[in-house]
Structures are given as structure tokens and as C-alpha cells.
Amino acid sequence: MSDKAVPSSAKASAAHHNASRVTRHALPYFPGCALKDQARGFEDSARAAMAALGYELAELPRWNCCGTVYSLATDDLMRHLGPVRNLVRVQDLGETRLVTLCAMCYNTLARSSRFVGADPERLERINAFMDDEADYRGGVEVVHLLELLRDEVTFEAIEAKVERPLDGLKVAPYYGCMLLRPREVGIDDPDSPGVLEALLSALGAEPVDFPQKAECCGAYQTVSSPEIARARVGEIVSAARWAGAELIATSCPLCTYNLEHHQVEREERETRHASPVTRHEIPILYFTQLLALALGVSEDKLGFAGLKFDPRPLLSDRELV
Amino acid sequence: MAERIDGDALRVTRDAGMGSENYPSRVSRHPLRITAREPDFVAKVEELCGENLYACYQCGKCAAGCLFADHMDFLPNQVLRLVQLADEAVLSSRAPWVCASCLACEVRCPKGVDIAKVMEALRLLSLRKGETGLRWGEIPPGVPQIALVGATRKLTP
Ligand code: SF4
Ligand code: SF4
């Protein structure tokens, strides 16, 4: 891959203490629909950042939509077909692990994998449904990139590779729901997570703590009851603002949409109601964009163009772009 | 309704004097008065959600942490209670449609009840009768695919 070679050139010699764990092995990776559309910058920046760390995110062949939300009913086996077909693709490659970026894809795939893997009878019924596929044998582990960075790449190794420390940048880490709940698939404590903070600190940024970091953004209610999502986003963003955040980092294209869209809506409504407050909007970035930035990835690969609120004025103010 | 307790015809009633508007405040909730029972209802919901509904001891922790409770007519624990009491009137509650499956309640319930699954079961009972929680004409413009797919999977038959 062309984007693999670029940032790692200067770092060929940086095969330091962690060399044994840096496999340079291509990691089967599931992008999901949003990362091919409104969240392109998430994928682009993740690929570039991983290349800088010596990994290749290798897109799963013939992947399909995960379904975005996990079915919570006992009799809805049909809804697990989408996720399981993707797991069959991983199995076809002779691999046992699938890396995800989108928090919703992660949750849906990881839960489905556990659900069908937990019961041989269930697995058999699923396989009977998919008569055009090789039987899924179970055992594919779905991991989120943040877990991989924490447990395998390690934040120490990342810190050692930082070329552009995000000094003094105040970032509110926003987890939302799907990275943390339920516990069986959560990558961190469901009420008081810290993995994003640890990553941000490794990058030199200043993580800003705020109580709403693991609260729901309104999710798909943005379609049916946008006023509810707007209220949620209002609470989240104003709390981050109060805590001093200049940026919010997310791991979910739906959180990002809600935080961006309803932030504007709120500002508009508040202005209409003659509020004298003029405030700048807080840019919402994917955590991979900050990671790539700190690792020295060139600006054109950071995917800032797709963001609603351009972080570049702030970043150039800090001499980061 | 198949059966009535003590011959009383009352079903779940909402007190019109205590926040009959769409968004009742957190404290003024509808008192629950149950008398009409559908004996198969509890079994039906339990089968669909896979949870032990009688495990709930009404501590209210789910409701205390639910960020969507302000928009619900019955609090999550009240929804649970209505199901325990086998009152199908719970099917006309707004709560399951407002629930965003955020799982804040799921990780906190001291009795291990997954309320999000109960909410889903209640939605499905309505959806499978052809009801919908999403009116196509009212979808805001510009919502991304990830939101549309999520909403249609949760809120439409
Ligand atoms: S937290 Fe659990 S036990 Fe307590 S009221 Fe809610 S469902 Fe019942
Ligand atoms: S899953 Fe539903 S009921 Fe539970 S806290 Fe979230 S919105 Fe409330």
C-alpha cells in the first residue's frame, strides 16, 4: 500500500524495544459503511497512523454492513447474518482477529461473534441459513483499534514515535456508549474509562476530564426524535466546553455526526432566541486524526476536509499544522 | 385483556394532574394502578428478551441513570414493573421508543436485568403487529446512513 511506505521511512531505525511485537503483519480490518462515506477521514488517518507504527490495516475482502445496531432479541438470528458473514471472511483468510475503527461496527460485530460462538446449536442454525458460505466455526476475535494500540502496540511505544507532540492541546475524550457497554465487549470501565486519556497523554495532549464522556449522544434517535439528540449534545458539548476543551475526540461516526450537527443547530437556536453569547464551535475529531498528526503524518492524509468544524486554525495557532 | 383482578376494570392509569404534557418532569410520575392482567404477557416478553423479569426489585437505579428518562412517560423501572404485573397497557408507553439502547442501565442494574433488552422486546411486540416508531415523512434531511440504518432497525417492522 502506498500510504504505508510514506511515514515509516524516517523510522526504519526505530525498531526499538518493542520490535518483537511489531509484526508488520497485515491486520484484517473492517471499515464499515460510514468510513467509506462521511467518516473517510477516520479511515485515512487510521491507515496513515498505523503505517507510521509499522502496521498495515488490510481491508477485509467482500465485507458487508454490520447492521450498525446489535439485535437485543432472542429470536432474531437473522440479524446476526450480516456480522457473521464478515467473520467468515476473516476465517477465509486463515486469520482469527478482525480490527475495527467505528465503535458501532465494533460493538455489533463483537457481540454477534460472542452470541453465535457461545452456543453450538445457534451456530448450526446460522450456518444453515448461509448455505452459500463456508460454515463459520466460531472463534474470530473482534478488536477495536484502541485496544490494539493499548495492549499490543503500547502507548509507551507510541510516545517514543511522536514527532509532533500535541503540547498543551486540550482535548475532551468522548467515548459514548458502544466502546464501553455491555461489559463483555467494553474495552474499558463502562462508567469511568481512561484509555483515550492515556493515548492523548502519550501524544503530548492534555486530556480534559468531563462527566459526560461516557454518556449517550442520542444515537439513532437523531432520526426519529432529533430534539432528544439535540438536548443530549447540548449537555455533552457544554460540559466539555466548561472543562476547557478545545477539541473533542471520538471513535464513532454517529457520535461525530450528532456532536457536529446538533452543535450547529443549538447555536442557531440560541442566536434566534437572542442570546448575546457568541462562541466558537468545538471541532470534533476522530482520535486517529490526532494520533496521525502527532506521529508526523502529512496534513493531506489527516482527513480534516470532511470535518464540519475545521480544526486547522486552532492547530496552526499551536504550530501543529 | 384476558383476566381482571378483583373484577376491577381499571388498567394502568395516568394522573392527568401530574404532568400530562409530553415531557413530565423527573419527579412527577404517573402512579401505577394495575388490575387488568394478561397472563401470557410476562412469558411472552421474557421469551423475547431472555431476561428474568421478576429479578427486578424496583430499586430505580436504571431510571436514575437513564439520560432519556426525561422524555419518557414511564420510567424504565416502571416499565419493568408494568411488565411484571402483566399489563399490556405498557405497549402503548412512549418509553420503549425513546430508549436509545445506550445500555447505561444495563451496566448498572444490581440484579443483572438488561432493561434495554426488555425495551427491545416491547418494541418488537408492537412492530410485529405492524406499528412503527418512525414516520418516513418526518426524517430530517441529511442524516447519515449509519443513523438511518440504526433507526430503521430499531424502530420499524
Ligand atoms: S436497576 Fe434493575 S433492579 Fe433496579 S429497578 Fe432497574 S431493572 Fe429493577
Ligand atoms: S438503554 Fe434505554 S432505558 Fe436504558 S438507560 Fe439507555 S435509554 Fe434508558
Side-chain angles (χ1 to χ4, degrees), chain A:
Chain A
M1 295 251 147
S2 58
D3 57 349
K4 190 189 173 190
V6 177
S8 51
S9 55
K11 305 191 189 68
S13 61
H16 51 271
H17 56 282
N18 216 30
S20 60
R21 285 192 247 187
V22 180
T23 55
R24 316 233 163 224
H25 178 65
L27 300 162
Y29 146 70
F30 179 87
C33 312
L35 272 68
K36 297 296 178 185
D37 184 23
Q38 99 262 17
R40 269 228 86 102
F42 195 3
E43 166 163 79
D44 293 346
S45 57
R47 292 197 137 171
M50 289 310 280
L53 292 168
Y55 289 79
E56 184 197 344
L57 293 178
E59 187 168 326
L60 195 65
R62 290 171 57 220
W63 59 269
N64 54 261
C65 174
C66 69
T68 76
V69 284
Y70 178 72
S71 169
L72 296 167
T74 51
D75 68 348
D76 230 1
L77 271 193
M78 203 67 165
R79 300 254 160 128
H80 297 281
L81 289 183
V84 173
R85 274 184 209 280
N86 289 310
L87 303 179
V88 172
R89 302 276 166 271
V90 182
Q91 189 180 273
D92 288 347
L93 295 171
E95 297 277 356
T96 55
R97 194 164 66 161
L98 182 61
V99 179
T100 53
L101 287 174
C102 166
M104 294 190 81
C105 296
Y106 165 70
N107 193 281
T108 307
L109 292 168
R111 290 193 82 178
S112 268
S113 166
R114 292 177 67 95
F115 180 76
V116 300
D119 178 354
E121 204 182 306
R122 220 177 264 155
L123 196 56
E124 206 179 299
R125 280 176 62 199
I126 287 265
N127 283 328
F129 263 123
M130 305 186 300
D131 48 10
D132 52 334
E133 301 277 1
D135 276 2
Y136 177 56
R137 296 185 297 273
V140 171
E141 191 197 359
V142 180
V143 296
H144 189 265
L145 185 69
L146 271 171
E147 284 178 291
L148 187 98
L149 293 173
R150 176 189 61 196
D151 303 335
E152 215 164 301
V153 181
T154 77
F155 293 152
E156 297 76 50
I158 293 173
E159 193 170 353
K161 291 197 176 187
V162 166
E163 292 193 351
R164 235 181 285 166
L166 309 180
D167 278 341
L169 203 59
K170 294 200 178 82
V171 185
Y174 178 65
Y175 293 84
C177 310
M178 294 295 123
L179 281 184
L180 304 173
R181 300 186 284 270
R183 273 198 180 81
E184 307 91 80
V185 298
I187 66 166
D188 205 345
D189 185 286
D191 282 316
S192 184
V195 53
L196 270 171
E197 282 88 337
L199 174 64
L200 290 166
S201 302
L203 304 180
E206 193 182 310
V208 168
D209 196 23
F210 69 122
Q212 280 74 6
K213 66 183 179 182
E215 286 188 357
C216 181
C217 68
Y220 54 82
Q221 293 291 1
T222 200
V223 180
S224 50
S225 312
E227 72 287 355
I228 296 180
R230 190 183 305 126
R232 288 272 69 241
V233 169
E235 274 191 46
I236 294 161
V237 174
S238 43
R241 223 191 279 269
W242 268 100
E246 298 166 299
L247 297 172
I248 296 177
T250 74
S251 172
C252 174
L254 183 50
C255 293
T256 298
Y257 169 78
N258 278 340
L259 292 178
E260 287 184 334
H261 177 73
H262 293 295
Q263 217 185 138
V264 178
E265 289 256 302
R266 265 186 85 81
E267 303 275 322
E268 278 170 5
R269 284 162 73 88
E270 278 166 21
T271 328
R272 205 163 59 228
H273 293 116
S275 158
V277 209
T278 48
R279 300 185 294 216
H280 67 279
E281 282 110 355
I282 298 189
I284 317 294
L285 270 67
Y286 294 104
F287 73 94
T288 49
Q289 293 177 308
L290 292 168
L291 174 64
L293 176 70
L295 290 173
V297 169
S298 63
E299 199 185 316
D300 58 311
K301 290 209 168 64
L302 298 175
F304 287 158
L307 298 173
K308 195 164 194 123
F309 310 127
D310 193 349
R312 279 169 288 200
L314 170 71
L315 296 176
S316 76
D317 198 47
R318 306 296 160 82
E319 291 170 12
L320 289 166
V321 291

Side-chain angles (χ1 to χ4, degrees), chain B residues 55-63 77 80 108-111 113 115:
Chain B
C56 166
Y57 57 11
Q58 288 294 305
C59 68
K61 199 170 176 189
C62 50
N77 66 303
L80 250 292
R108 289 174 191 166
C109 173
K111 297 290 285 176
V113 181
I115 301 97

